[in-house]
Amino acid sequence: MRLSIITINRNNATGLEKTMRSVASQTFKEFEYIVVDGASTDGSADVIKKLESEFAHLKWVSEPDKGIYNAMNKGIRM
């Protein structure tokens, strides 16, 4: 069984980078990391691309959603 960690984001590139670096620094590595970005316009997708190589199992999407709960559900489906 794999542990899934889901982060949702919308126009918070600074917070996203801090969160992603924190997740990457964990000693337990048997997890998949899912990032759902709500089509941010602040460079959040660039942050994800920059840190992508830090994760063995990263799935991410940057597209419009219908709010926080829609984004969470999208992450769960992924």
Side-chain angles (χ1 to χ4, degrees):
M1 182 168 60
R2 186 183 297 165
L3 171 69
S4 298
I5 300 171
I6 302 170
T7 297
I8 59 171
N9 179 69
R10 174 97 166 89
N11 287 328
N12 184 12
T14 302
L16 177 62
E17 183 165 355
K18 184 177 179 181
T19 299
M20 290 185 72
R21 289 190 185 281
S22 175
V23 172
S25 72
Q26 301 305 305
T27 55
F28 180 78
K29 299 294 185 184
E30 294 299 314
F31 63 87
E32 68 176 345
Y33 189 37
I34 299 169
V35 180
V36 179
D37 176 61
S40 295
T41 58
D42 68 342
S44 291
D46 294 330
V47 169
I48 298 167
K49 290 174 189 173
K50 177 174 76 172
L51 297 175
E52 197 166 13
S53 65
E54 299 290 319
F55 301 94
H57 303 285
L58 174 69
K59 298 176 186 176
W60 68 279
V61 64
S62 182
E63 62 188 19
D65 55 53
K66 297 175 184 165
I68 189 170
Y69 296 108
N70 179 250
M72 284 187 224
N73 287 328
K74 191 182 295 185
I76 291 168
R77 284 190 301 272
M78 291 175 68

